[in-house]
Amino acid sequence: MLEHALVGVGAGAGAMLRFSIAQRAAAGAATANAGKIHAMWAIAGVNVIGSFGLGCLAGSKTSRKRSLLLGTGACGGFTTYSTFAVDAAQLLREQRYGISALFVTSSCIGSIVAAGAGWAVASRFSH
C-alpha cells in the first residue's frame, strides 16, 4: 500500500506541475490559438525535461521507494505521451505538416537524447 501511495503522491505533484507550466505558457499568448501553440511547445519541453529526470533516476543507484515516488510517480505524472499524440494529431488535422514534423521529431529525439544524457550524468556521479 505504501508503494501505491508513493506513486500517487508523485504523480499528483508531477501532473500539477505540468498543468501549471502549460497554463502559464498559454496565458502569455495574444490569442487563444497562439495559446494552444505555446502550451503545445511547453508540453514538448516538459516531456524532454521529464525524460532527463527519469534518465537520471535510471542511471543512479536509488532505492525502490525513491524510484516509485520520483520516477513512476513524479516523472510519469509530469510527462505526457497522450497530450503529445493529440497535439501532433491536431497539427495533422489542420494540415500543418511542416510544424507537425518538427514537433514530432524534436519531441521524440529531444526526449531520447535527454534521457540518455540524464542516465550518463547520473551514472558518472553515482559511482
Side-chain angles (χ1 to χ4, degrees):
M1 193 63 170
L2 173 63
E3 291 182 341
H4 290 83
L6 290 170
V7 171
V9 168
M16 288 188 294
L17 181 57
R18 171 179 28 96
F19 177 77
S20 296
I21 291 168
Q23 291 297 303
R24 189 163 272 178
T31 66
N33 191 44
K36 288 171 59 177
I37 297 297
H38 288 197
M40 177 190 78
W41 284 106
I43 293 299
V46 159
N47 286 339
V48 171
I49 292 165
S51 295
F52 179 82
L54 193 55
C56 285
L57 282 169
S60 68
K61 296 179 178 167
T62 189
S63 70
R64 177 168 170 75
K65 289 179 183 175
R66 184 174 292 153
S67 180
L68 289 171
L69 175 68
L70 299 176
T72 306
C75 288
F78 184 58
T79 60
T80 172
Y81 186 81
S82 56
T83 300
F84 159 75
V86 168
D87 288 343
Q90 182 65 34
L91 289 170
L92 291 173
R93 286 177 49 96
E94 294 170 358
Q95 298 181 357
R96 299 174 74 183
Y97 303 117
I99 192 75
S100 178
L102 177 65
F103 177 67
V104 169
T105 302
S106 63
S107 294
C108 290
I109 292 173
S111 293
I112 292 167
V113 168
W119 198 313
V121 167
S123 294
R124 181 169 172 91
F125 290 106
S126 67
H127 286 78

